[in-house]
Amino acid sequence: ETGVTQTPRHLVMGMTNKKSLKCEQHLGHNAMYWYKQSAKKPLELMFVYSLEERVENNSVPSRFSPECPNSSHLFLHLHTLQPEDSALYLCASSQDSAGTSGNTIYFGEGSWLTVV
Amino acid sequence: DQQVKQNSPSLSVQEGRISILNCDYTNSMFDYFLWYKKYPAEGPTFLISISSIKDKNEDGRFTVFLNKSAKHLSLHIVPSQPGDSAVYFCAATSNTGNQFYFGTGTSLTVIP
C-alpha cells in the first residue's frame, strides 16, 4: 500500500474540459511534487510545494494549475489541454524539499490522462 | 540539459544471474542518489539509496555502488528474478537544490 494516493487513476477529457487530479499523502511529509511522464522521456518535474508554498515551477504552461491547500493534499487543475498533454501524471512527497540531504521521494501510482 | 543519464534503454538477463544497471551524472554537487523500480501503469517505487560519503550500500539482493570521481553509479541485483523485470530509474539530488533529477530509465527483462 502506497503512502501517496492519487485519484482518478485514469482520466479522459476533451480539450475544452476542466478537470482536476487529486493527490493525498499519508506520510506526514512536508514537500509534495507533480511530475509528468511521457513515453520515452525522463520524468519531468512540474511543481514543487514545501510546507504548502510553491518553491519550484518548471515553466509549466498555465493550462496546468496546482493547488496545495495543506501539507497532505495536492491538486492539479487542468483546463483547455492539448492532445500532447496526454501522459502519466505522478504525485510524490518527501519529508522535506529536495534540498535536504538524504531526503527520499515517494511516488503515488499515477493518473493516466488522455486528452482527446 | 540531462544531468542524470542512463545510457542503456534496455537490458536482458538470465534468471539467477547478476543484473547491472548503470547511471551517470554531470553535476558534482549531487550528494544523494536513489534507485527506483517502476512497473507499467504504476508509480516508481523506491528501492535503495546512497549518500556521497559512501561508495557502497547493500540491501538484500540490491547493492548500489558509487564512483564519485567517475560520476557514475550502478545498481547490482543478485540473483536476478523474473519479478525484477521492470523499468529502473536512477535519481540524484543535492542539498543546494529544490528537486530530484531522474534518468530516462532502463528496462530490465529477467528471462526465466
Side-chain angles (χ1 to χ4, degrees), chain A residues 4-8 11 18-25 31-35 46-50 52-54 56-57 60-79 81 89-93 111 113:
Chain A
V4 181
T5 56
Q6 291 186 239
T7 55
L11 177 64
K18 288 185 183 180
K19 296 283 185 184
S20 297
L21 305 180
K22 178 184 175 182
C23 176
E24 183 175 0
Q25 58 97 0
M32 295 187 78
Y33 310 77
W34 279 115
Y35 281 86
M46 300 177 74
F47 301 102
V48 181
Y49 277 82
S50 179
E52 302 144 51
E53 187 175 323
R54 191 191 303 182
E56 189 83 33
N57 174 0
V60 179
S62 60
R63 56 186 185 269
F64 295 92
S65 173
E67 179 190 0
C68 187
N70 55 62
S71 60
S72 298
H73 293 87
L74 185 65
F75 295 89
L76 187 63
H77 302 300
L78 314 169
H79 177 49
L81 296 192
Y89 289 84
L90 290 160
C91 175
S93 72
S111 294
L113 173 67

Side-chain angles (χ1 to χ4, degrees), chain A residues 9 33 35 37 42-43 45 48 55-56 58 88 90 94 97-109 112, chain B residues 2 31-32 34 36 38 40-46 49 51 89 93-104:
Chain A
R9 293 293 313 279
Y33 310 77
Y35 281 86
Q37 187 181 29
L43 283 167
L45 177 66
V48 181
V55 296
E56 189 83 33
N58 271 12
L88 177 66
L90 290 160
S94 61
S97 62
T100 305
S101 188
N103 209 9
T104 300
I105 187 171
Y106 296 91
F107 287 88
E109 298 207 341
W112 280 100
Chain B
Q2 192 69 13
D31 61 0
Y32 189 60
L34 311 96
Y36 289 82
K38 184 180 182 301
E42 294 184 11
T45 303
F46 170 70
S49 62
S51 164
F89 292 94
T93 186
S94 73
N95 61 9
T96 58
N98 271 323
Q99 60 177 292
F100 295 82
Y101 295 85
F102 286 84
T104 49

Side-chain angles (χ1 to χ4, degrees), chain B:
Chain B
D1 180 28
Q2 192 69 13
Q3 298 191 47
V4 177
K5 298 177 185 178
Q6 293 176 258
N7 293 318
S8 297
S10 62
L11 174 68
S12 290
V13 171
Q14 227 30 64
E15 181 179 3
R17 305 293 291 268
I18 183 171
S19 295
I20 300 176
L21 298 131
N22 293 304
C23 180
D24 298 294
Y25 61 95
T26 58
N27 189 339
S28 57
M29 298 300 293
F30 288 150
D31 61 0
Y32 189 60
F33 305 87
L34 311 96
W35 282 96
Y36 289 82
K37 175 181 179 179
K38 184 180 182 301
Y39 293 118
E42 294 184 11
T45 303
F46 170 70
L47 268 181
I48 191 169
S49 62
I50 188 166
S51 164
S52 60
I53 62 173
K54 295 185 174 181
D55 53 20
K56 176 182 173 181
N57 189 26
E58 191 172 351
D59 183 3
R61 297 185 297 114
F62 301 92
T63 303
V64 56
F65 294 92
L66 176 64
N67 182 334
K68 289 185 289 294
S69 60
K71 294 192 181 68
H72 177 83
L73 63 154
S74 60
L75 175 68
H76 292 212
I77 307 173
V78 182
S80 301
Q81 300 172 354
D84 296 329
S85 297
V87 177
Y88 289 79
F89 292 94
C90 65
T93 186
S94 73
N95 61 9
T96 58
N98 271 323
Q99 60 177 292
F100 295 82
Y101 295 85
F102 286 84
T104 49
T106 297
S107 178
L108 173 66
T109 302
V110 179
I111 304 163

